[in-house]
């Protein structure tokens, strides 16, 4: 049986926004292979909180493969193996939602949650989060790096098998009375693309009003607030910032951040407008080129 640990990092609150995956394969009593990949999520919308956790920026994944391409080489092992994940409901949810969103059939999955395993085998009043359990077991890793988290998850499962006297990780569920979870696969369900609104619906919503200009409030290096707006120019739409550099017509760091989808310093709660912004800028570039 193939046994592998998996961990995902996501760009925002959506389960189908995976931006990184890490995996670690177990054979016998040791880890024999590790892999990690960056993933371009379907929406280039990164929440500041997520960026603070994993440090992945839109610019890091803009040229990376989408979910289906990034995961293609791993799906055979995932579909026929025993998957380990710490707080598995999250990671399995990301896997299923992202496959469905990419139009890929979700295979049958069998998995174990090392968070639940830890609560049974390594209970502690301080909690059984990945970092806490790893620290108690002396497992050294870089938390919130997908590849490192998958490695720590696998090491926790191996340690639990040794502690429980199980003949390997595959025998651990019976040894501690924790059944594996099985979920049926299924064909992908067509779903609307977030933010995609037909022209007819949009016209009905705004019958007599021009769309509001795009504006973003950004935090400066000293905490000042600056307004970045999209302006129509003879050469096409351009972003203009109220900071000193922007007043002189320069592309400041606030403008450059928005152009790559970096919302780390975005204060206004309109990160979803970045997709519209990028479409308008791309349309302007095509118009200028023609």
């Amino acid at each position: 049986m193939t046994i592998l640990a998996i961990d995902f990092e996501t760009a925002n609150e959506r389960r189908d926004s995976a931006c990184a995956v890490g995996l670690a394969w177990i054979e016998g009593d040791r880890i024999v292979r590790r892999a990690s990949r960056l993933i371009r999520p379907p929406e280039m919308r990164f929440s500041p909180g997520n960026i603070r956790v994993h440090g992945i920026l839109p610019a890091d994944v803009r040229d990376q493969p989408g979910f289906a391409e990034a995961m293609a080489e791993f799906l055979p092992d995932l579909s026929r193996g025993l998957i380990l994940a710490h707080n598995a409901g999250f990671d399995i949810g990301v896997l299923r939602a992202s496959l469905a969103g990419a139009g890929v059939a979700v295979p049958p999955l069998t998995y174990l949650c090392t968070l639940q395993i830890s609560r049974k085998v390594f209970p502690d009043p301080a909690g059984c989060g990945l970092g806490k359990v790893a620290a108690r077991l002396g497992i050294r890793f870089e938390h919130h790096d997908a590849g490192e988290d998958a490695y720590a998850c696998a090491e926790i499962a191996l340690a639990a098998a040794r502690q429980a006297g199980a003949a390997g990780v595959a025998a651990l569920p019976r040894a501690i009375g924790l059944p594996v979870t099985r979920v049926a696969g299924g064909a992908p369900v067509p779903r609307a693309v977030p933010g995609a609104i037909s022209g007819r619906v949009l016209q009905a919503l705004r019958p007599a009003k021009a769309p509001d200009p795009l504006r973003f409030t950004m935090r400066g290096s000293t905490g000042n607030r600056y307004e970045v707006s999209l302006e129509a120019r003879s050469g096409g739409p351009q972003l203009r910032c109220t900071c000193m550099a922007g007043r002189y017509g320069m592309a400041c760091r606030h403008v450059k951040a928005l152009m790559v989808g970096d919302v780390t310093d975005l204060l206004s709660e309109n990160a979803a407008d970045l997709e519209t912004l990028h479409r308008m800028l791309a349309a302007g570039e095509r118009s200028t080129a023609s």
Side-chain angles (χ1 to χ4, degrees):
M1 173 188 288
T2 301
I3 302 175
L4 68 164
I6 193 167
D7 181 83
F8 286 104
E9 301 296 337
T10 57
N12 54 61
E13 75 286 351
R14 294 182 61 95
R15 290 292 176 93
D16 60 356
S17 68
C19 58
V21 63
L23 306 101
W25 284 257
I26 293 174
E27 286 185 11
D29 60 355
R30 64 192 182 94
I31 295 171
V32 296
R33 179 189 172 194
R34 296 170 62 178
S36 61
R37 301 285 188 274
L38 290 174
I39 301 170
R40 185 185 69 252
E43 284 185 280
M44 289 297 287
R45 178 173 65 84
F46 278 64
S47 297
N50 292 56
I51 293 174
R52 283 193 292 270
V53 169
H54 51 58
I56 299 172
L57 297 173
D60 299 326
V61 300
R62 185 168 296 280
D63 297 324
Q64 297 299 320
F67 193 86
E69 183 181 352
M71 295 297 296
E73 64 180 295
F74 308 128
L75 285 181
D77 282 351
L78 290 168
S79 62
R80 63 173 174 248
L82 174 62
I83 305 171
L84 306 171
H86 208 80
N87 189 20
F90 171 79
D91 295 289
I92 299 300
V94 170
L95 176 60
R96 297 178 70 190
S98 297
L99 286 173
V104 178
V106 180
L109 302 170
T110 302
Y111 66 90
L112 272 174
C113 179
T114 53
L115 174 59
Q116 296 180 17
I117 291 172
S118 298
R119 288 169 176 165
K120 279 182 167 287
V121 183
F122 307 115
D124 192 287
C128 289
L130 185 67
K132 293 179 180 179
V133 178
R136 294 199 293 268
L137 295 176
I139 300 168
R140 301 180 65 179
F141 76 115
E142 295 294 328
H143 202 1
H144 297 304
D145 174 282
E148 292 279 300
D149 285 1
Y151 160 76
C153 174
E155 287 286 11
I156 288 171
L158 288 167
R162 292 191 294 267
Q163 180 72 17
V169 174
L172 182 57
R174 177 172 293 183
I176 64 176
L178 180 68
V180 298
T181 301
R182 293 180 172 85
V183 294
V189 178
R191 54 193 300 273
V193 177
I197 304 176
S198 70
R200 184 175 298 177
V201 173
L202 187 59
Q203 185 177 5
L205 292 174
R206 299 176 180 175
K209 180 183 177 182
D212 294 330
L214 288 176
R215 288 193 178 89
F216 304 88
T217 303
M218 300 291 288
R219 177 178 52 231
S221 57
T222 59
N224 293 331
R225 297 167 65 96
Y226 299 109
E227 299 297 323
V228 179
S229 57
L230 188 65
E231 299 180 352
R233 301 290 182 87
S234 58
Q238 293 182 15
L239 287 172
R240 184 71 177 268
C241 184
T242 58
C243 72
M244 188 59 68
R247 292 174 188 172
Y248 284 99
M250 300 171 60
C252 64
R253 70 179 187 87
H254 314 114
V255 165
K256 292 177 180 178
L258 291 175
M259 290 182 70
V260 299
D262 183 355
V263 296
T264 306
D265 293 318
L266 181 66
L267 297 177
S268 52
E269 297 183 0
N270 61 335
D273 287 343
L274 285 176
E275 285 299 307
T276 301
L277 171 66
H278 294 153
R279 286 197 298 269
M280 294 178 71
L281 290 173
E285 290 178 358
R286 289 194 296 270
S287 176
T288 302
S290 61

